[in-house]
Amino acid sequence: MDRMTRYTRQIQLIGSENQAKLHRARVLVVGVGGLGCPVLELLCSAGIGTLGLVDFDKVELHNLHRQFLFAEKDVQQLKTAVAVERLQARNSDSIFRTYPYSLSAQNVFAIIDGYDIVVDCTDNFAVRYLLSDACAIAGKPLVYGALYHYEGQVSVFNVEKDGYTTTYRDLFPTPPQPEEVPTCNEAGILPTVSSMIGHLQANEVLKLLLGKIDDCLVHTLLLFNTQTYQLTKIKYCKMNTSSPQTPKEVEGYNYPAFCHQTEGEELHSVEDLQAFLAQENSVLVDVREADEMPKINLFKALELPLSELPTQWEQLKTYDHICFVCVAGVRSMKALRFAKEVFAEKDLKSYKLGFSSLVK
């Protein structure tokens, strides 16, 4: 296929030499969700030569309203596989590499190696800090995006400007408590918001690749309120933060604990939950509000909304093994912490995957 014809309108603006730069570029997108889908679509359309996709998850029905690479027929298929199929149909000129598993301290350096730029499209604070530390050590520019209700934010890390570089830790030295900043699954999100922020992230990638560093959001956090269209830029500088300085230190760093995610208190699969509930005197407690649908039907669940839990402890006294579930593990972890103060001797868990994996 004639590459010059495909990118005619783009070449008119940036020139053929810059288009060749984009074709030689290698960009890794971590997270193929509400942010990752528009980022991938735009970078693929722009002619990025190699795109890497990192995501362990499968397509779910509630993804479809904002993750435009997926269709109804793709539910329960691996996101990376479906995304590549769609992207290849859009641009056969690009090369795609998939990593259909979780990013970890053990594999992060091997995954980011060979890429020019990394794009953070995740929704997990432990992964954000891990990715930032690894990219800082490896010298990889990192384009960050995040969502909250009707707002989004974008910034660029690990790029030298004015004689210094900044990282995610310089912007956010300490992580929030899990219940302070809910995920999109908990707080809700409009497709227009995730799409707009994804577009801004893709735009930062293109500016970096085209050498327009002075125009990038380096040392700058862009806040975008989509209801008022208010754009706010916040400057930040290098902080004296403590962070891992070598791959070995990253591997030994406890990112979940740093982000207040206590290991051993979460169940990560339906099989783990099934084994947990097979124990005598066990119960699954749905802490979503009464009007939240659909109801869990894969297992029998006791419905005790988080807002009412402090007055309902009597209903849990007879159980030795209690697992809490909500939408995405935020409220269930909060319920677990409350329960620990009352039932310190009981076996308490939070189900990380949320209710959607428990609906037939």
Side-chain angles (χ1 to χ4, degrees):
M1 192 172 291
D2 187 350
R3 189 181 302 161
M4 298 300 287
T5 301
R6 174 189 283 272
Y7 305 114
T8 297
R9 298 297 180 267
Q10 193 165 291
I11 291 172
Q12 288 174 329
L13 182 64
I14 66 174
S16 57
E17 289 187 7
N18 277 329
Q19 187 60 51
K21 283 184 183 179
L22 298 184
H23 183 68
R24 292 193 297 270
R26 298 159 298 178
V27 179
L28 180 72
V29 178
V30 183
V32 186
L35 293 174
C37 283
V39 167
L40 286 163
E41 286 182 297
L42 290 165
L43 296 182
C44 176
S45 296
I48 300 302
T50 301
L51 285 167
L53 294 74
V54 182
D55 201 308
F56 67 91
D57 215 351
K58 295 181 179 180
V59 178
E60 296 187 39
L61 190 61
H62 65 80
N63 298 149
L64 302 185
H65 94 291
R66 68 194 183 282
Q67 299 177 19
F68 306 131
L69 286 172
F70 311 129
E72 290 180 0
K73 67 181 181 64
D74 302 319
V75 172
Q76 292 307 307
Q77 302 300 310
L78 277 172
K79 284 186 175 183
T80 51
V82 176
V84 166
E85 183 180 349
R86 299 289 187 279
L87 295 169
Q88 282 179 328
R90 179 182 294 272
N91 192 347
S92 59
D93 205 27
S94 294
I95 296 170
F96 302 96
R97 297 172 180 162
T98 62
Y99 308 87
Y101 39 81
S102 298
L103 197 74
S104 70
Q106 287 68 44
N107 64 25
V108 63
F109 287 99
I111 291 176
I112 67 175
D113 184 43
Y115 289 95
D116 304 307
I117 296 174
V118 179
V119 190
D120 179 0
C121 297
T122 64
D123 196 12
N124 180 292
F125 283 99
V127 175
R128 285 175 182 165
Y129 281 98
L130 166 64
L131 196 56
S132 175
D133 290 346
C135 287
I137 292 169
K140 306 282 184 182
L142 178 64
V143 178
Y144 157 77
L147 306 167
Y148 181 67
H149 287 174
Y150 298 99
E151 298 180 351
Q153 50 187 240
V154 181
S155 193
V156 175
F157 306 125
N158 308 325
V159 174
E160 185 174 346
K161 184 179 180 180
D162 300 328
Y164 66 98
T165 61
T166 47
T167 72
Y168 184 73
R169 286 183 185 266
D170 294 314
L171 182 58
F172 299 110
T174 58
Q177 293 292 334
E179 63 270 15
E180 292 176 345
V181 185
T183 66
C184 292
N185 284 336
E186 292 286 343
I189 192 70
L190 288 174
T192 50
V193 180
S194 56
S195 182
M196 278 189 267
I197 300 305
H199 278 64
L200 292 174
Q201 284 183 278
N203 196 48
E204 291 302 295
V205 172
L206 294 179
K207 287 192 289 184
L208 285 170
L209 291 172
L210 297 176
K212 299 184 180 295
I213 303 299
D214 289 339
D215 296 329
C216 291
L217 293 169
V218 179
H219 313 325
T220 304
L221 177 69
L222 176 68
L223 302 174
F224 184 22
N225 186 313
T226 62
Q227 284 191 303
T228 63
Y229 290 116
Q230 181 177 359
L231 287 167
T232 305
K233 287 185 177 180
I234 300 174
K235 296 287 186 179
Y236 57 92
C237 59
K238 191 72 177 175
M239 304 280 286
N240 292 321
T241 57
S242 176
S243 64
Q245 298 298 308
T246 66
K248 187 174 182 180
E249 289 181 13
V250 166
E251 193 167 336
Y253 195 89
N254 193 331
Y255 287 92
F258 176 69
C259 295
H260 316 293
Q261 300 171 3
T262 305
E263 293 184 89
E265 292 183 341
E266 291 183 322
L267 300 178
H268 296 271
S269 69
V270 174
E271 292 74 21
D272 288 344
L273 178 60
Q274 187 174 26
F276 182 85
L277 295 177
Q279 300 175 98
E280 190 175 353
N281 294 328
S282 63
V283 65
L284 178 65
V285 181
D286 186 349
V287 296
R288 294 179 297 159
E289 294 303 309
D291 60 348
E292 293 187 61
M293 294 293 200
K295 298 299 183 183
I296 293 169
N297 54 26
L298 193 58
F299 299 105
K300 183 178 180 181
L302 179 62
E303 296 180 15
L304 293 177
L306 182 63
S307 58
E308 301 175 13
L309 201 56
T311 64
Q312 301 295 323
W313 294 125
E314 191 70 27
Q315 295 194 48
L316 299 178
K317 274 191 173 181
T318 59
Y319 297 103
D320 298 319
H321 310 281
I322 304 170
C323 181
F324 299 99
V325 62
C326 61
V327 175
V330 176
R331 280 177 286 176
S332 59
M333 183 56 76
K334 192 170 184 178
L336 185 151
R337 291 198 179 100
F338 287 162
K340 272 192 166 184
E341 298 178 5
V342 181
F343 303 124
E345 75 288 354
K346 293 184 184 293
D347 180 16
L348 304 173
K349 301 289 184 184
S350 169
Y351 182 60
K352 180 68 175 176
L353 294 185
F355 81 97
S356 62
S357 63
L358 306 179
V359 177
K360 293 180 182 176

